[in-house]
Amino acid sequence: MGGNGGGDLESNKSRGGPPAAYYTPSSPYHHHHDKQWTSWLIPMIVVANVAMFIVIMLVNDCPNNHNSTLEGDCVAKFLGRLSFQPLKQNPLFGPSSSTLEKLGALEWSKVVDDHQAWRLVSCIFLHAGVVHLLANMLSLVFIGIRLEQQFGFVRVGILYMLAGIGGSILSALFITNNISVGASGALFGLLGAMLSELLTNWTIYANKAAALFTLVIIILVNLAVGMLPHVDNFAHIGGFLTGFLLGFVLLMRPQFSWQERHNLPVNARGKSKYTIYQYVFWLLSVILLVVGFTVGLVMLFKGENGNKHCSWCHYLSCVPTSRWRCDDQ
């Protein structure tokens, strides 16, 4: 989800991308017989997010809705209605927290008390500022287009939305005092799906240990950066776990001996399209997804605060030091 806001808005963390060799046509991970899809959904999501940000800034209308005497001048006033809030209010070059809240930011009280469940989805398409938007959209293009080319728009679209919603649910359960916006939960879902796709399709890849090591390091570094203040790491974790499980369900490939059965001797041909462990991962993942979403939604709409059930979980989103406080929960 990225940035969460209250009195101020801070940046969503920058993300590393997948290993360079992971999805390139010349790499050992790509097979000549795989169908290559034309990527159009991910570019459309990027366009939708940019268009939504323009709408946000038009509604924000800093010159007419902001008291410059008390809080300073709008930034880039030559943009007119599109000019940004003073950097003291929003250092990401974006709107006010009240504008984001009005247009669908995730807020615990709105979801629970006012029954506005649609915010679990709308917040995925809102961003706290230009910096936040650029970081998320560049990451989405880098990761998402390659996935869509390999697995098609239907599977990647389902993955993106469910991971975003999974991130929203976990965020709403643990971040109860601030608003939260951004596509980071969905993006972490794509990273999680890349990891599970590598694991479930282990037999058809070369250099898999190197790819696995690189991908795990990228994920761990990004989750660690998410422990800084004002970054909604619960959305990252929720999105990642959702995407990781969905990868076992949606991105399963036939084993190599089945794919190459027409080019192999009869005794070397695969008897089964998928391996036993692929079926096991698929079943366990479906069960965990159904249970996780059900429990999460039931807890949320009962108005429960996840921090009361897990006294240490807040450290997953922010670790206090002598340089900063953690007061988001």
Side-chain angles (χ1 to χ4, degrees):
M1 300 279 283
N4 51 24
D8 57 355
L9 292 165
E10 292 294 338
S11 173
N12 171 34
K13 66 188 181 58
S14 59
R15 273 169 302 282
Y22 195 78
Y23 284 117
T24 55
S26 59
S27 79
Y29 303 105
H30 178 84
H31 298 282
H32 63 86
H33 54 269
D34 285 348
K35 178 178 180 179
Q36 285 291 293
W37 299 76
T38 299
S39 176
W40 63 267
L41 178 64
I42 295 300
M44 286 299 295
I45 292 176
V46 172
V47 170
N49 276 276
V50 172
M52 189 64 214
F53 185 73
I54 294 174
V55 171
I56 292 169
M57 296 311 301
L58 288 172
V59 172
N60 188 66
D61 192 6
C62 183
N64 292 320
N65 295 327
H66 170 70
N67 189 333
S68 59
T69 304
L70 296 176
E71 300 168 321
D73 291 333
C74 300
V75 177
K77 288 196 290 185
F78 64 89
L79 294 174
R81 290 187 64 172
L82 295 175
S83 57
F84 312 120
Q85 293 296 117
L87 295 182
K88 287 184 179 180
Q89 284 190 13
N90 187 344
L92 303 179
F93 299 97
S96 65
S97 296
S98 60
T99 299
L100 289 170
E101 181 182 340
K102 182 192 305 180
L103 293 179
L106 182 65
E107 185 178 6
W108 184 85
S109 62
K110 297 286 186 183
V111 175
V112 175
D113 298 331
D114 298 336
H115 309 292
Q116 296 179 1
W118 53 270
R119 289 179 180 270
L120 295 170
V121 177
S122 62
C123 65
I124 303 171
F125 296 94
L126 302 180
H127 287 84
V130 173
V131 176
H132 189 200
L133 178 69
L134 285 176
N136 275 348
M137 293 305 100
L138 288 173
S139 298
L140 177 58
V141 167
F142 189 76
I143 299 169
I145 286 181
R146 288 172 173 81
L147 277 175
E148 188 180 355
Q149 286 174 340
Q150 285 208 319
F151 296 101
F153 71 93
V154 173
R155 284 185 282 183
V156 171
I158 294 172
L159 177 60
Y160 184 86
M161 288 306 303
L162 287 182
I165 295 170
S168 296
I169 292 172
L170 195 65
S171 174
L173 284 171
F174 286 93
I175 307 291
T176 58
N177 297 325
N178 288 320
I179 65 171
S180 182
V181 295
S184 301
L187 287 167
F188 265 78
L190 297 183
L191 279 175
M194 287 173 63
L195 178 59
S196 55
E197 192 272 331
L198 176 61
L199 294 175
T200 195
N201 301 321
W202 189 258
T203 60
I204 69 172
Y205 288 128
N207 298 332
K208 43 206 169 193
L212 178 62
F213 177 78
T214 306
L215 193 54
V216 168
I217 292 299
I218 289 170
I219 292 166
L220 290 177
V221 167
N222 281 281
L223 287 174
V225 175
M227 292 182 181
L228 294 173
H230 306 296
V231 179
D232 186 356
N233 213 27
F234 286 113
H236 299 169
I237 295 169
F240 174 81
L241 292 175
T242 303
F244 181 71
L245 294 174
L246 282 171
F248 289 118
V249 177
L250 297 175
L251 307 184
M252 190 166 63
R253 295 176 183 269
Q255 58 180 318
F256 180 75
S257 58
W258 175 269
Q259 292 186 35
E260 298 291 339
R261 63 191 181 280
H262 299 301
N263 302 320
L264 295 173
V266 175
N267 60 348
R269 295 177 185 175
K271 296 180 181 180
S272 174
K273 190 173 183 178
Y274 301 104
T275 62
I276 293 297
Y277 76 83
Q278 284 179 305
Y279 286 118
V280 171
F281 281 146
W282 186 93
L283 181 60
L284 288 176
S285 296
V286 168
I287 294 172
L288 289 173
L289 282 166
V290 171
V291 171
F293 270 83
T294 301
V295 171
L297 288 170
V298 168
M299 288 181 62
L300 180 59
F301 293 122
K302 286 176 64 177
E304 296 193 31
N305 185 334
N307 295 290
K308 294 181 179 179
H309 298 277
C310 179
S311 60
W312 56 268
C313 283
H314 61 279
Y315 292 117
L316 294 174
S317 188
C318 182
V319 178
T321 71
S322 59
R323 292 178 177 271
W324 61 68
R325 295 173 54 201
C326 298
D327 52 6
D328 289 341
Q329 287 76 41

